[in-house]
């Protein structure tokens, strides 16, 4: 009989919503990166097409980003008003527009 490589024990279940939120935030933070540009430090996070459910206006080309289009979200990393204000002022960009900014 062939040997099975599957684990035989129970799978660990998160005991509450807090652990699930921590896992999700950790997963999302893995995609986030920081970039230094002429105008300062920026946090950049890609949004896959499956998660893009709203339409946005790209500040680079002033064209719309339609739902279902992969794009990126950026916000300041060195703003003087604090992290909460920087996160509230995040912007959605076409990936190409951000690269040529």
């Amino acid at each position: 009989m062939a040997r099975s490589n599957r684990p035989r024990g129970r799978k660990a279940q998160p005991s509450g919503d807090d652990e699930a939120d921590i896992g999700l935030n950790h997963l999302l933070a893995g995609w986030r990166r920081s970039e230094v540009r002429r105008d300062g430090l920026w946090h950049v996070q890609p949004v896959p097409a499956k998660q893009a459910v709203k339409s946005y206006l790209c500040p680079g080309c002033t064209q719309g980003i339609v739902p279902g289009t992969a794009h990126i979200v950026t916000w300041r990393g060195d703003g003087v008003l604090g992290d909460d204000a920087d996160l509230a002022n995040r912007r959605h960009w076409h990936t190409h527009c951000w690269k040529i900014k």
Side-chain angles (χ1 to χ4, degrees), residues 61-90:
C61 65
T62 65
Q63 299 295 313
I65 302 173
V66 297
T69 303
H71 61 282
I72 60 170
V73 179
T74 64
W75 63 96
R76 299 278 317 196
D78 57 359
V80 294
L81 298 176
D83 293 337
D84 291 335
D86 292 338
L87 194 56
N89 290 323
R90 65 188 178 269

Side-chain angles (χ1 to χ4, degrees), residues 30-69:
W31 291 97
R32 190 177 309 153
R33 66 184 186 273
S34 296
E35 294 183 9
V36 177
R37 300 237 168 175
R38 289 188 315 223
D39 55 351
L41 177 69
W42 290 87
H43 296 296
V44 180
Q45 183 169 345
V47 178
K50 287 183 178 181
Q51 292 180 350
V53 295
K54 292 171 58 179
S55 59
Y56 299 98
L57 188 64
C58 175
C61 65
T62 65
Q63 299 295 313
I65 302 173
V66 297
T69 303

Side-chain angles (χ1 to χ4, degrees), residues 35 37-38 58 60-61 72 93-101:
E35 294 183 9
R37 300 237 168 175
R38 289 188 315 223
C58 175
C61 65
I72 60 170
W93 291 72
H94 291 110
T95 305
H96 176 74
C97 294
W98 176 254
K99 286 180 182 178
I100 64 172
K101 171 189 172 205

